[in-house]
Amino acid sequence: MPGLRKQIFLGTFISSKSRQELQYLHDAAVCVDSHGKIVKVDVDCTSAELIDDRLLNKLGWEKSEVDVHVAKPGQFFFPGFIDSHVHAPQYPNVGIFGKTTLLDWLEKYTFPLESSLKDLAKARRVYTACIRRTLANGTTTAAYYATIDVDATNLLADLCLSLGQRALVGRVCMDNQDICLDYYRDESAEASLEKTLQTIQHVRDIDPSFELVSPILTPRFAPSCTSESMRGLAKIQRDMDLPVQTHISENKGEIALVAKMYPESSSYAAVYDDHGLLTPRTILAHAVHISEDEARLIAKRKSKVAHCPCSNSVLTSGAARVRWMWDRDITVGLGTDMGAGYSPSILEAARQTALVSRHVAMGIDEADPEHERSKLTIEEALYLGTRGGAAVVGLEGRVGGFEEGMEWDVQLIGLGDVNEEGFPADIDVDGGNVDMFGWESWEERIAKWVYNGDDRNTKKVWVKGRLVHSRR
Amino acid sequence: MPGLRKQIFLGTFISSKSRQELQYLHDAAVCVDSHGKIVKVDVDCTSAELIDDRLLNKLGWEKSEVDVHVAKPGQFFFPGFIDSHVHAPQYPNVGIFGKTTLLDWLEKYTFPLESSLKDLAKARRVYTACIRRTLANGTTTAAYYATIDVDATNLLADLCLSLGQRALVGRVCMDNQDICLDYYRDESAEASLEKTLQTIQHVRDIDPSFELVSPILTPRFAPSCTSESMRGLAKIQRDMDLPVQTHISENKGEIALVAKMYPESSSYAAVYDDHGLLTPRTILAHAVHISEDEARLIAKRKSKVAHCPCSNSVLTSGAARVRWMWDRDITVGLGTDMGAGYSPSILEAARQTALVSRHVAMGIDEADPEHERSKLTIEEALYLGTRGGAAVVGLEGRVGGFEEGMEWDVQLIGLGDVNEEGFPADIDVDGGNVDMFGWESWEERIAKWVYNGDDRNTKKVWVKGRLVHSRR
C-alpha cells in the first residue's frame, strides 16, 4: 500500500474502553503514519494552531507532508465494524427465506445461488456489490465464506484487496458425498484440500504477508465435511498457523444430524475438537444451543464465537446467550451472517443483539438475577461489533480502538440535526432517520445512532489509513 | 382540501388481498378524482395511448384536467402505512431507554419530556419533526397520543392538517393523584374531561367532519386514570361516537398494579370494560400478556389491538402473540410506539413483527403445530401495517388498498438497481440498502424491500390524493 500521506484526525473519538463502557475523547488528535498506523494520540487539541506548535514538532513531521481531517461539530470517529461471519455469495438473497429453517433454507435458496457463482462475471458482480455495501455500512474487516469454486474465491480476495476491505477469505470445503448435493460439492477430501491450498497460495501471491487479506480454512460445517477433510484442514492449520471458520449448534435439526453422523464424539463441539479444528484461531458461528460442556471445551481451546442475531431470529434457530458465553470466558463478536442474516450492517446486528438479549431475558424468571443480567446494553453491543469482533478474527490490538500502535480502520459518523422549526438543518446532507435536537448528551447521541442509524450516518470509512468509502 | 387536480397513476400496484396473500396488479391504471378518491381501477393499461382512447372516455375526463403519474420500471405503488399507536411528544427520545422497563422508563425518560412540551415552540419543533419523519417513512395515518396540554395537543392537530398526514389526535388523560407525578397530571377528573372536550372542539373547528384529522379519547392507561375520568370519557365516547385509545397488559409489573388498584374487576381488560371503554372503536396498545378470558372479552366487544414489537422487545415487555389473537378473532394492526419503540417506520415494525413471531415460536415446542403457525410471513406483516391498521383505526374500506371508492393514501416504492459491474446503476438516486440484481421475482423484491428497505425507498407519499412527501 504505497503512497499514503501522513494524516492527522481532529475531533471526538469514541471507542470501547471495556465491555461496559465507552471512552469519549473530545478535542483530540490522532496521528496516522504513511503505513496507516496510529503513532500518536493527543488530547486537548482544540485548534489547528496547537498542531503546528506542538504535535508536528513532537512527531517530527513537516506540515507539507500531512493531511489534516477535522470532524464537523457533532460528528465523531468510531472504530470500523468487524463482521466476523458473512457469506459473500449469498448477498443477493438477503431477506429471502420465507418460513424455512436452516436445512431446507440451504437447499432451497443457498446452494443454487452459491453454485451459480462459478460464472466469474456473476461472482464479480455479486462480490463487488457485497464489499461496497458492507464498506458503506462501516465494515472495515469481514470474515468471508466464498464458495467451493477456487477461481471465484480468489476473485473475492482480489476484490477485497482492490476495494480496500480487510478480509479473511475462505474457500468453502464440503466434500461429504452422503450429505452434499451432487451439483455443489467437492469431488473428494483430497480435492477439497488441494483446492484449499490453491486459494491459500493465491492470497499469498497477492498479499504476501496477509497484511490486508488473509486466507481462512473453511470447513462449511461438520455435516458437509468428511472426517478426512476435517483432519486435513486441521493439519494445514497447524502447519501454516491459519485461522479457521465453521458453524456450530445453530439449529436443533442440525445438532441431531451431527450427533447421528458422529456418534463417537461426545458433542457437536467435540466433533471439531476430535478433528483438531478447535483452535485459538477458530471462529465458530452461532453457538445458539451449546451445552455447559461444550462451552467449557470452547473456552479451554480459546476458540471464538460469532454471534449472528439477525440470522438466528429469521431462521427461528434460537436466541444465543451472549452473557452466558461471556460468563464462561468465551470471546464473542458479531456477524451479519448474510444471506440468512438479512442486513449488511453490523450496526443492525448490534441493535438485534440488544433486542435478542431481551428475548433471552424474557425466557428467564424476573426474580432470577440472570433475567436482568442477560440484557445487553448499547455499550456492550458496540463492544461486540468492534473490539469483540477484532479478537474473534485475530486482530485484537491491531484494530477496534484508537490506541497508539493500532491501525486506522475507522468510520466517521455524522447524525442529522433538526432546526428550530423541526426541519432538517442542512437539506444537502441526508442524516438518515437520526434526528438530533441538540439537547442530547453524548451517551444519548450514541443511543439514537445505534437504534436508528444506517449507512447514511457513516460519512467516511478508512482501512489501514486508506479512505475506502465516503458520502455526504 | 380544494384545488386538487384529477390524477391517473400507471404501473404496478401491490396490496394485501388477504392476510396471507398480496395482490400484484401490473400494467394497471388507478384514477383518482379531485377529492382524492379512487374512482376507477383498470388493468391492462400498457401505454399512455390506451388512456387517451379508453380511460378518459370512460371517465368523462378531459385530458387537460388530469395529471398522469407513471411509475418507473421496477417501482410500485403500495398502500400507505397505518401507525396505530405512536406518542408524538416522545419522538426525540427514540432509542433512549437504557435497561429500563415500562414503569421506570415512564418516570425517567417519558414524563419529563412530555411535560416540557407545554412550551409551544418546543412542541411545534418536535411535532413537525415527528410528522415529517413518519410521512417520509410512508405513514399516511397515525393514531397519536399528544400530552396533557390542550394547546400543544391542538397544535399537533393543526400540524397534521397542514403537513397533510391523516391522524387521530388524543389529549392524554391522566388524573390519578396517587399515581401520576405532581408536575405532570390533570388537576382533577373534571378538569381532565373539560380539557378533552376543548381538544375535540378544536379539531371540529379545523376539520369539521373529521375528514383528515379526528380527535380520539385517550385515557393513558388504567393506572394513571380515576374511575371517574374513565367513566366520563366513556360517556363522551357514547355521546359523540368517538374513537378511544389506551394501553393494556404491556408489562407484568403494570398488570400487578392494575390488579391491586381495581380489585373489583376480574382482569385488566375487565377494568376498561367495567368503565365502558371497551368499544368497537377502542384501540388497545400491546396486549402482550392478555389471558384467554381477556381475549374473549376484547373480541366480543370488537375492540382492536395495536401490536408494537419494537417497543415490546426493547422494554423487555414480552412477545405478543399475533397469530393467537387472530385465532381469537381480534383485529390487529401495527404501532411504532415511539419513543419506547425506537423506529419511526412501520416497515421496521413489520420486520420486527416477523422476527418477534419467530421468538414466540421458539417458546413453543417444535412438535406442536402452533410452533410453525406462530411464524408470520412477510405478507402477513404487511397486511398488519396496511389493512390491519386501517381496521384498527376505523378506516377499513377507506384506506389500505386500491379498490374503487377508497382514498388515495399511497406510497411509491423504488428499490436500488445494481449494474453489471456490481455498482449502483443510477448514482443520482440513493436506493438505500436494497440492491436488486434484476433476476428477483416480484415476491423476492418485496422480501428484500421488507428486510432492508427504509425511507430512501419511499419515493413519494400521498394522503387523500395530495402529494405530502417526495424524494429522489
Side-chain angles (χ1 to χ4, degrees), chain A residues 310-321:
Chain A
C310 296
S311 161
N312 294 340
S313 293
V314 295
L315 292 185
T316 327
S317 301
R321 300 148 293 169

Side-chain angles (χ1 to χ4, degrees), chain B residues 378-446:
Chain B
I378 282 167
E379 288 77 9
E380 290 170 329
L382 289 173
Y383 176 92
L384 286 165
T386 55
R387 289 200 198 260
V392 168
V393 301
L395 293 171
E396 197 173 5
R398 265 181 76 187
V399 302
F402 295 109
E403 289 91 74
E404 289 171 12
M406 290 185 116
E407 297 177 25
W408 183 256
D409 283 26
V410 173
Q411 46 187 326
L412 175 67
I413 305 298
L415 309 173
D417 290 317
V418 174
N419 72 13
E420 287 306 311
E421 284 72 45
F423 288 74
D426 184 350
I427 57 164
D428 290 330
V429 175
D430 190 345
N433 274 316
V434 187
D435 278 331
M436 304 304 305
F437 288 77
W439 60 65
E440 297 88 350
S441 66
W442 272 98
E443 288 74 11
E444 290 172 341
R445 293 179 69 84
I446 292 289

Side-chain angles (χ1 to χ4, degrees), chain A residues 91-101 109 113 121-122 124-126 128-130 132-133 137 163 252-253 309-310 312-319 323 342-345 348 351-352 354-356 358-359 361-362 366 371-378 380 418-424 430-440 444-445 447-448 451-452 454-456 471, chain B residues 91-101 109 113 121-122 124-126 128-130 132-133 137 163 252-253 309-310 312-319 323 342-345 348 351-352 354-356 358-359 361-362 366 371-378 380 418-424 430-440 444-445 447-448 451-452 454-456 471:
Chain A
Y91 175 58
N93 271 356
V94 283
I96 300 176
F97 48 82
K99 286 178 103 173
T100 57
T101 57
Y109 296 109
L113 177 60
K122 187 172 179 183
R124 175 180 294 275
R125 187 181 182 215
V126 166
T128 299
C130 177
R132 283 176 48 84
R133 181 61 70 198
N137 279 279
L163 293 168
K252 289 179 186 168
C310 296
N312 294 340
S313 293
V314 295
L315 292 185
T316 327
S317 301
R323 179 82 62 203
Y342 51 83
S343 170
S345 162
E348 170 74 9
R351 197 151 51 215
Q352 293 304 318
L355 297 182
V356 164
R358 283 160 173 74
H359 284 278
M362 289 173 206
E366 286 180 28
H371 172 91
E372 192 61 21
R373 285 192 72 243
S374 299
K375 291 157 65 171
L376 298 181
T377 63
I378 283 168
E380 290 170 327
V418 174
N419 72 13
E420 287 305 311
E421 284 72 46
F423 287 75
D430 190 346
N433 273 318
V434 188
D435 278 330
M436 304 304 304
F437 287 78
W439 61 62
E440 296 88 350
E444 290 172 340
R445 293 178 69 82
K448 292 181 79 162
Y451 274 97
N452 275 311
D454 60 38
D455 53 303
R456 285 172 286 189
R471 64 169 296 139
Chain B
Y91 175 58
N93 271 356
V94 282
I96 301 175
F97 47 83
K99 285 179 104 172
T100 57
T101 56
Y109 296 109
L113 177 60
K122 186 172 180 183
R124 175 181 294 275
R125 187 180 181 215
V126 167
T128 299
C130 177
R132 284 175 47 85
R133 182 60 72 198
N137 279 279
L163 294 169
K252 289 179 186 168
C310 296
N312 294 338
S313 292
V314 295
L315 292 184
T316 327
S317 301
R323 179 82 62 203
Y342 51 83
S343 171
S345 161
E348 171 75 8
R351 198 152 48 218
Q352 294 304 317
L355 297 181
V356 164
R358 282 159 174 75
H359 284 277
M362 289 173 206
E366 287 181 28
H371 172 90
E372 193 59 23
R373 285 193 71 242
S374 298
K375 291 157 67 172
L376 299 181
T377 63
I378 282 167
E380 290 170 329
V418 174
N419 72 13
E420 287 306 311
E421 284 72 45
F423 288 74
D430 190 345
N433 274 316
V434 187
D435 278 331
M436 304 304 305
F437 288 77
W439 60 65
E440 297 88 350
E444 290 172 341
R445 293 179 69 84
K448 291 180 80 162
Y451 274 97
N452 274 311
D454 60 36
D455 53 302
R456 285 172 286 188
R471 65 170 294 139

Side-chain angles (χ1 to χ4, degrees), chain B residues 188-207:
Chain B
S188 63
E190 195 181 11
S192 196
L193 298 172
E194 172 54 32
K195 287 179 177 185
T196 296
L197 290 171
Q198 287 172 23
T199 291
I200 296 168
Q201 186 55 47
H202 177 79
V203 178
R204 204 184 296 283
D205 289 343
I206 62 171
D207 190 3

Side-chain angles (χ1 to χ4, degrees), chain A residues 267-316:
Chain A
S267 69
Y268 199 157
V271 171
Y272 291 132
D273 195 46
D274 293 345
H275 289 85
L277 285 169
L278 225 49
T279 80
R281 303 201 65 185
T282 301
I283 306 171
L284 300 165
H286 307 301
V288 175
H289 303 284
I290 54 171
S291 66
E292 286 284 357
D293 280 351
E294 288 180 291
R296 204 157 25 233
L297 178 60
I298 291 166
K300 190 174 168 193
R301 298 287 184 250
K302 297 193 188 327
S303 297
K304 317 295 195 282
V305 167
H307 174 48
C308 307
C310 296
S311 161
N312 294 340
S313 293
V314 295
L315 292 185
T316 327

Side-chain angles (χ1 to χ4, degrees), chain A residues 13 84 197 205 207 224 226-227 249 255 258 262 265 282 329 331 346 348 358 373-374 380 391 444 452 460:
Chain A
F13 298 78
S84 60
L197 291 171
D205 290 343
D207 190 3
S224 62
T226 59
S227 280
S249 202
I255 296 166
V258 170
Y262 297 92
S265 294
T282 301
D329 278 330
T331 299
I346 286 292
E348 170 74 9
R358 283 160 173 74
R373 285 192 72 243
S374 299
E380 290 170 327
E444 290 172 340
N452 275 311
K460 289 178 196 287

Side-chain angles (χ1 to χ4, degrees), chain A residues 336-413:
Chain A
T336 60
D337 192 24
M338 293 197 288
Y342 51 83
S343 170
S345 162
I346 286 292
L347 193 66
E348 170 74 9
R351 197 151 51 215
Q352 293 304 318
T353 293
L355 297 182
V356 164
S357 76
R358 283 160 173 74
H359 284 278
V360 171
M362 289 173 206
I364 301 171
D365 192 274
E366 286 180 28
D368 183 335
E370 291 308 311
H371 172 91
E372 192 61 21
R373 285 192 72 243
S374 299
K375 291 157 65 171
L376 298 181
T377 63
I378 283 168
E379 289 77 9
E380 290 170 327
L382 289 173
Y383 176 92
L384 287 166
T386 55
R387 288 198 198 263
V392 167
V393 301
L395 293 170
E396 198 173 4
R398 267 182 74 188
V399 302
F402 296 108
E403 288 92 74
E404 289 169 12
M406 290 185 116
E407 296 178 24
W408 184 255
D409 284 27
V410 173
Q411 46 186 327
L412 174 66
I413 305 297

